[in-house]
Amino acid sequence: MPSGCAIGGMLELLTRPWTLHILWALSHQGPLRFGVLRKQIDGISARVLTERLRTLEGAGFVFRHYEQTIPPAVTYGITERMKDIEKVLAQMEGLARKWQGEERTAIAEPGNDARTGAQLH
C-alpha cells in the first residue's frame, strides 16, 4: 500500500486471519458471550479469538461488556463504527456473489475452458 493510503490500516486489520469471521458472527447474530462466539467460528483457538477481539475492541469495531457475576459474563458485540463498515462489506459481498455467478456462467458456456472459463481459440 502506498504511504498515505487512508484505508491501508483498515484493510490490514480486516484481512487478518479470523477477523472477518468474528465480525460476521457478531453482526449477524448480535452480541455474543465469548464461549458462544468461539463455537460459532469452527477452528479458532481461544487464544487467537481473545487476541482478535482485543484488537477489534482497540480499533473501536467491537465492544466488550463485562458483568461481575459468578462466573463472570463477558459479551462482545459490534459498535456503531463497525455498522458503518458493515455497509461496505455488504456491498463487497454482493459484488463477490455477482462475480461468482459470472464465473459459473462463463465456465458453463460452450467453447470455454472448463477450469477457468477462458474462451478456447
Side-chain angles (χ1 to χ4, degrees):
M1 230 26 75
S3 64
C5 179
I7 65 168
M10 183 187 307
L11 288 175
E12 181 183 334
L13 173 65
L14 293 175
T15 58
R16 289 181 183 163
W18 300 108
T19 299
L20 288 175
H21 293 85
I22 294 166
L23 294 172
W24 187 91
L26 293 174
S27 66
H28 285 81
Q29 298 175 28
L32 296 171
R33 291 185 63 174
F34 182 89
V36 174
L37 179 58
R38 184 166 177 222
K39 288 177 185 173
Q40 296 295 317
I41 306 170
D42 191 35
I44 194 168
S45 70
R47 181 183 64 82
V48 170
L49 180 57
T50 299
E51 288 173 2
R52 292 301 180 273
L53 286 168
R54 285 181 183 158
T55 301
L56 291 167
E57 184 182 10
F61 295 161
V62 168
F63 70 82
R64 179 180 185 268
H65 178 74
Y66 177 84
E67 290 183 42
Q68 283 190 314
T69 58
I70 298 175
V74 181
T75 305
Y76 295 91
I78 62 169
T79 62
E80 289 301 315
R81 176 179 273 192
M82 184 56 214
K83 288 179 184 176
D84 290 339
I85 295 172
E86 259 186 323
K87 296 170 190 169
V88 175
L89 293 176
Q91 290 174 334
M92 290 176 69
E93 180 182 16
L95 187 58
R97 289 182 189 281
K98 176 185 173 200
W99 287 353
Q100 285 175 342
E102 289 173 359
E103 289 169 1
R104 285 189 199 110
T105 301
I107 290 170
E109 290 177 2
N112 288 353
D113 183 297
R115 291 173 291 121
T116 65
Q119 258 190 332
L120 300 174
H121 297 287

